Amino acid sequence: MTQPESESALLDGLPIGATGRSVGRTISEGEFTLLNTLSWSFSEPYTNYELMSQTSFGERLLAGPMLTALVAGMHSSGDHFDEIRRSFGLKFLAVLGIDAHYRAPVVPGDTIWVDTTLVSARASASRPGVGVMVFRDLARNQRDEVVLEMERPMLFSRPAPAPEPEPQPEPQPDPRSHP
């Protein structure tokens, strides 16, 4: 198979531009505290309610690394990602990076949804038979404010279609057998 044919097989039919929405997730007080602790975000914007209640935020903030992980997990465990993976026989190999832009604070009690779009797919320049998909996530809160914009390039492979089976000859009766 030539390179353009293999690239075509790798990318054929991928739903560029398709968007899916995750289920909503409310960040409870307990989860909020646990998530900030797991990221070692112990500074006052993340832990001191009294201080933060006097700011324009009015409440402690969810640390950026935890919001990024939460959004990536909401997409990766959702129907949109699973549908792309199953429908096209993809195997995701690695996340190649994250470009995250935090747009609004997330505080305890906020509910987050993630709209994810497959924005592009291309063959890898350095790894034959492997491609790079770029997903764009827009995380929104219950007020429909975008709290995070993120792009994640992901390395993937797609097995080649199975070859058509060759026709098998009809079995011939054994001439030594007697009816």
Side-chain angles (χ1 to χ4, degrees), residues 101-119:
H101 300 271
Y102 304 97
R103 302 295 185 206
V106 174
V107 299
D110 276 354
T111 300
I112 305 297
W113 289 267
V114 181
D115 295 317
T116 300
T117 303
L118 174 57
V119 294

Side-chain angles (χ1 to χ4, degrees), residues 1-45:
M1 190 181 295
T2 66
Q3 179 62 21
E5 288 172 351
S6 64
E7 185 174 315
S8 175
L10 180 68
L11 304 176
D12 187 44
L14 294 177
I16 306 302
T19 299
R21 177 166 261 205
S22 72
V23 298
R25 171 138 187 175
T26 301
I27 312 301
S28 71
E29 178 69 36
E31 289 174 309
F32 183 89
T33 301
L34 178 62
L35 290 170
N36 276 337
T37 301
L38 287 173
S39 68
W40 287 83
S41 299
F42 296 124
S43 62
E44 291 189 300

